[in-house]
Amino acid sequence: MSDIPSSEYAVAPIAQLAAYADTAIMEDEALRAARARADELGATTISPATGALLSVLTRVAGAQHVAEIGTGVGVSGLWLLAGMPTTGVLTTIDPEPEHHRAARQAFADASIAPSRTRLITGAPSDVLTRLADESYDVVFVDGPLLGYPAFVAEGIRILRPGGVLVVANASANGTIADREVTDPRTLAVREAAQLIADDDRLLPAVVPVDTGLLVAAKTR
């Protein structure tokens, strides 16, 4: 008999499945180049498995209009656009002009028509208040964790009935389940998750990819 607790037997298969989920996704040259630019700029990017799931969710939602909070270097934008019809438009918000320059290059590398992207440079908390109610089919939140409560509240407002809200890093880098962890970033992610849980219009689920996705569908 092994002395290893049964819970530890599950760790290896889960880790192996996560690794397989990423390696099973083949990214094209535009995505690989975007990831290289992210390394140069020190910007974070979503995993291939997360990107693939974003494409699936936008495809299922039939998303013509997508709002993204946190452009980064365009990796997540490329995945979102891949799930949208050729007439779809991605509105993506980031406070860093350098990120938007890198994202424009990523979109150009992927032959995305300029008319399909609207890049807004500014603080997401300010920009979001200017977006119209119930005007987006998918809203993807991937900005600074401290802003998550405001981003989620505005994301719910601008999401159309039947649309999908997706929140990246839903585990707050793995700390959200530990109630003894009370740093500001973890508390902000918990508050955002509670906003979703308390909204009767939303049907939520946590997806264990990367650092976790919180996905919620809005009632039609």
Side-chain angles (χ1 to χ4, degrees):
M1 294 289 291
S2 171
D3 293 330
I4 301 175
S6 59
S7 60
E8 294 188 18
Y9 280 114
V11 174
I14 290 172
Q16 290 168 4
L17 180 58
Y20 170 72
D22 277 334
T23 58
I25 302 300
M26 302 298 293
E27 294 190 316
D28 62 18
E29 181 57 35
L31 277 162
R32 292 194 296 271
R35 290 192 185 279
R37 280 190 289 272
D39 290 340
E40 294 171 3
L41 295 174
T44 58
T45 59
I46 60 170
S47 70
T50 298
L53 182 56
L54 286 179
S55 287
V56 170
L57 291 171
T58 52
R59 179 69 57 83
V60 170
Q64 286 280 355
H65 300 283
V66 173
E68 177 185 36
I69 302 159
T71 308
V73 300
V75 170
S76 50
L78 287 173
W79 279 111
L80 289 164
L81 286 160
M84 298 166 66
T86 56
T87 53
V89 176
L90 171 68
T91 297
T92 182
I93 307 163
D94 200 291
E96 298 293 337
E98 192 172 31
H99 287 174
H100 275 171
R101 283 193 291 272
R104 286 190 178 92
Q105 183 61 57
F107 300 150
D109 289 348
S111 300
I112 302 295
S115 60
R116 295 196 59 207
T117 60
R118 181 168 66 140
L119 286 77
I120 304 176
T121 303
S125 55
D126 295 333
V127 175
L128 284 167
T129 60
R130 303 198 296 269
L131 302 183
D133 292 356
E134 298 186 350
S135 53
Y136 291 89
D137 305 300
V138 171
V139 177
F140 179 49
V141 177
D142 191 23
L145 296 184
L146 288 176
Y148 268 31
F151 300 161
V152 165
E154 288 296 319
I156 294 169
R157 178 185 64 80
I158 67 174
L159 188 68
R160 69 162 174 80
V164 179
L165 174 71
V166 186
V167 181
N169 199 0
S171 73
N173 295 313
T175 62
I176 196 168
D178 186 347
R179 289 295 167 180
E180 294 184 2
V181 178
T182 57
D183 67 277
R185 288 177 176 79
T186 302
L187 291 177
V189 177
R190 285 190 187 131
E191 182 181 345
Q194 196 62 52
L195 285 172
I196 293 171
D198 290 342
D199 194 319
D200 292 339
R201 297 169 298 174
L202 299 177
L203 179 64
V206 175
V207 184
V209 296
D210 205 3
T211 51
L213 286 183
L214 178 53
V215 180
K218 194 173 187 180
T219 303
R220 293 185 183 275

